[in-house]
Amino acid sequence: MYETVIGLEIHAQLLTATKMFCGCATTSQAAPNSLTCPVCLGLPGALPVLNARAVELGVTAALALGCRVQPVSTFARKNYFYPDLPKGYQITQFDRPLALDGELAWTTGAGTQRVRIVRLHLEEDAGKSVHEGFEDSDQFTYLDFNRSGVPLAEIVTAPDMRSAGEAADFFRRLRAVLVAAGVSDGNMEQGSLRCDANVSVRQVGDPSLGVKTEVKNLNSFRFLQRALDFEVDRQVTALARGEALEPGTRLWDERSGRTVQMRSKEEAHDYRYFPEPDLPLLRVEAAQVERLRGALPELPEARCLRIAERYGLDRDAATFLAQSDSLTAFFERTVAASVDPLAVLHWIRGELTRRLAETSIGLEQAAITPDSLSALIVLVAQGRLSATAAKQVFAQLFASGGSPERIARTAGLLQESDLDTLRGLVERTLAQLPDQVAQFRSGRRSVAGFLVGQVIKASQGRANPQVVDRLVRELLDRSGHAT
Ligand code: ADP
Ligand code: ZN
Ligand code: MG
């Protein structure tokens, strides 16, 4: 029996307006090489100046992950040759990173899951090699340096995950924390969040770690999970055949659904790290750390626990509602109008989610408001609107807003549920149908359905069917006993 061991290294682009060491903009939609200067092109003599905002965001990310922020950290040069790295080295943090020893924990059905964060450090991104899309792409590789020097936080976990699914789950939760903390946009398609997955297997019970491989640059949860599943399978199969595993760096090939070797241990880079002489020590004052800690917003796990507790919902529902600020706020404002949280959850999870997906607009752009949704829920609770009619009203609220009562009235959807009004109607209707009433009394209970239909017809469809049904049976039983 083998056990899987996984540790992740995540790169998150920090949400700054400008790059890490120069004033160039970080926008993603710009003509190739239009966001460059001597610093991020690595021209001789150009000197880096650290972006204070990148440090703030790095510290915020570290605090959101429960890390200890170091009062002093340093920058280093990581040397390697690659065309998208114009200086011939990347400025990163090596032996003295910005922050250490954090944790991301969350509650599952099985208990609390913890993944330790070993370190979080700052570094700059490289440029981009463009291998496709040009007439002569078969002969040339083009380079775009717009990303060169964009600030990243690298987050390294301990080897604490035990399956591909667990790793994907962690990555999802980490993304949610970074987005909630406002440090990253979490956009994986555009490369602002990606991960390297380290994986090994070992015999269950073996305390030592097995030979690991590293799968580079996974930019979707699905790829991460598929690449890890494949890699675990490959390693276990090799071990079962008595083969020795070779450590190395691999790439996920989505087309073939396999990982392929990129370089072996022997070919591993020697980065010849050394201190960056052009940058001073990075000092972060304790007061600044405390100021940033105080400014942290409510994070996903805390929010989830609060929602579950406060509204009496299960974890699954709370997780759903905690997924974004706008969704949580919409839910809480709707419930604040004193309607049943479960009813609100039902509408948000059902109709609202469906229509948002259909129209692909954000909740902020939708015309429906918490007040109008709560008013709709009240109409249903009062029995003045049937579930089916309420969906019709909802559709209109979603598209153009307004008052649910007015919409329902205009569309002739309001039901009569007032007991006295309906009792009068039932009495009058039954008085006109003595034969059917007699049939009921002589044992044909099924006639009740017909009588209910007649009452609703007499109300021109306005009467609440459940209430009418109850009243008809009450009255028939009573008159039955009376004879
Ligand atoms: P390296 O020296 O190869 O850079 P590190 O010790 O710095 O390795 O760890 C890098 C990442 O790999 C971390 O996320 C760590 O948790 C993970 N890791 C280390 N050893 C293993 C292993 N045997 N199996 C799975 N993951 C591992
Ligand atoms: Zn620049
Ligand atoms: Mg390492």
Side-chain angles (χ1 to χ4, degrees):
M1 267 292 277
Y2 290 99
E3 175 180 58
T4 301
V5 176
I6 297 165
L8 302 181
E9 296 165 283
I10 292 102
H11 290 91
Q13 180 178 339
L14 296 168
L15 275 175
T16 55
T18 56
K19 294 185 181 179
M20 188 81 147
F21 301 114
C22 63
C24 294
T26 53
T27 41
S28 58
Q29 317 293 11
N33 296 308
S34 62
L35 310 174
T36 54
C37 74
V39 173
C40 55
L41 287 175
L43 302 187
L47 288 173
V49 177
L50 181 59
N51 180 341
R53 183 68 188 141
V55 176
E56 279 188 3
L57 292 170
V59 169
T60 299
L63 294 174
L65 294 168
C67 293
R68 210 157 27 83
V69 176
Q70 305 231 80
V72 178
S73 62
T74 58
F75 287 96
R77 291 186 180 181
K78 177 179 180 177
N79 301 280
Y80 63 94
F81 175 76
Y82 203 75
D84 65 16
L85 189 73
K87 296 195 296 292
Y89 60 85
Q90 175 195 32
I91 304 180
T92 180
Q93 296 192 292
F94 182 54
D95 48 356
R96 297 175 79 181
L98 180 67
L100 297 165
D101 298 331
E103 178 186 85
L104 184 61
W106 65 96
T107 319
T108 68
T112 301
Q113 181 99 35
R114 291 173 200 286
V115 173
R116 286 168 295 159
I117 307 293
V118 176
R119 58 186 274 150
L120 180 150
H121 68 250
L122 299 173
E123 62 184 35
E124 58 175 342
D125 207 349
K128 195 167 82 183
S129 304
V130 185
H131 302 287
E132 280 167 21
F134 292 92
E135 236 168 76
D136 46 8
S137 279
D138 55 335
Q139 296 168 59
F140 296 101
T141 290
Y142 286 76
L143 291 160
D144 177 4
F145 290 104
N146 283 353
R147 282 201 75 87
S148 172
V150 158
L152 305 176
E154 175 170 341
I155 298 159
V156 181
T157 78
D160 285 349
M161 287 150 278
R162 293 291 173 269
S163 71
E166 218 172 282
D169 198 18
F170 166 80
F171 194 18
R172 273 196 196 89
R173 285 169 194 279
L174 179 70
R175 177 182 180 278
V177 168
L178 297 175
V179 171
V183 302
S184 165
D185 66 10
N187 189 324
M188 298 171 73
E189 266 160 43
Q190 282 174 16
S192 40
L193 186 67
R194 47 196 202 257
C195 119
D196 302 336
N198 299 270
V199 52
S200 63
V201 299
R202 64 182 172 192
Q203 291 286 348
V204 172
D206 186 345
S208 59
L209 290 169
V211 173
K212 81 170 159 84
T213 52
E214 178 177 0
V215 189
K216 282 280 186 195
N217 249 325
L218 297 158
N219 67 345
S220 90
F221 302 120
R222 207 172 66 90
F223 293 173
L224 172 64
Q225 183 151 359
R226 295 206 340 129
L228 285 172
D229 276 334
F230 176 85
E231 196 50 29
V232 168
D233 207 50
R234 189 186 69 79
Q235 292 183 11
V236 169
T237 307
L239 288 178
R241 285 204 198 109
E243 295 167 12
L245 289 175
E246 204 202 331
T249 307
R250 303 178 74 87
L251 283 178
W252 171 244
D253 178 36
E254 175 63 14
R255 231 166 306 173
S256 64
R258 310 167 62 84
T259 64
V260 288
Q261 173 111 319
M262 189 165 100
R263 50 178 186 257
S264 67
K265 185 79 176 175
E266 287 75 55
E267 300 160 303
H269 290 139
D270 172 4
Y271 294 117
R272 297 179 295 117
Y273 283 97
F274 64 86
E276 165 61 68
D278 292 339
L279 287 165
L281 300 179
L282 171 54
R283 294 180 191 280
V284 183
E285 302 294 332
Q288 193 193 6
V289 172
E290 289 323 305
R291 180 177 65 75
L292 292 169
R293 196 193 304 278
L296 274 180
E298 184 178 37
L299 296 173
E301 186 60 14
R303 173 177 294 178
C304 204
L305 293 174
R306 181 178 65 79
I307 290 178
E309 169 99 348
R310 177 152 179 202
Y311 302 103
L313 300 175
D314 63 29
R315 289 237 15 121
D316 192 43
T319 306
F320 173 80
L321 293 169
Q323 68 185 283
S324 74
D325 284 352
S326 54
L327 198 65
T328 306
F330 194 94
F331 171 77
E332 297 205 274
R333 284 195 207 120
T334 310
V335 176
S338 71
V339 291
D340 177 16
L342 275 176
V344 180
L345 173 71
H346 173 79
W347 280 102
I348 291 184
R349 230 180 180 175
E351 290 297 291
L352 184 61
T353 303
R354 191 168 67 78
R355 297 209 175 255
L356 287 173
E358 253 172 37
T359 51
S360 65
I361 63 170
L363 186 50
E364 297 84 356
Q365 285 89 35
I368 189 166
T369 63
D371 283 344
S372 57
L373 178 57
S374 64
L376 179 69
I377 292 171
V378 168
L379 285 178
V380 177
Q382 290 172 339
R384 297 178 61 206
L385 203 57
S386 73
T388 323
K391 280 195 184 173
Q392 262 173 272
V393 175
F394 183 93
Q396 205 167 324
L397 278 182
F398 183 85
S400 42
S403 140
E405 175 144 10
R406 207 167 312 134
I407 293 171
R409 184 171 318 232
T410 309
L413 295 170
L414 279 184
Q415 294 184 144
E416 185 57 73
S417 292
D418 180 67
L419 276 182
D420 292 334
T421 314
L422 288 180
R423 194 171 283 120
L425 186 66
V426 171
E427 279 164 359
R428 283 195 300 283
T429 310
L430 295 200
Q432 282 160 20
L433 298 162
D435 293 352
Q436 282 80 1
V437 172
Q439 282 175 19
F440 181 89
R441 278 193 223 143
S442 63
R444 276 191 61 197
R445 309 290 291 183
S446 61
V447 177
F450 168 78
L451 292 170
V452 169
Q454 291 304 303
V455 176
I456 290 171
K457 200 166 151 195
S459 75
Q460 283 152 347
R462 299 279 161 76
N464 180 325
Q466 278 99 46
V467 179
V468 171
D469 190 82
R470 211 177 68 225
L471 290 173
V472 164
R473 285 170 203 280
E474 256 174 45
L475 230 81
L476 286 173
D477 281 340
R478 207 184 305 149
S479 48
H481 293 308
T483 48

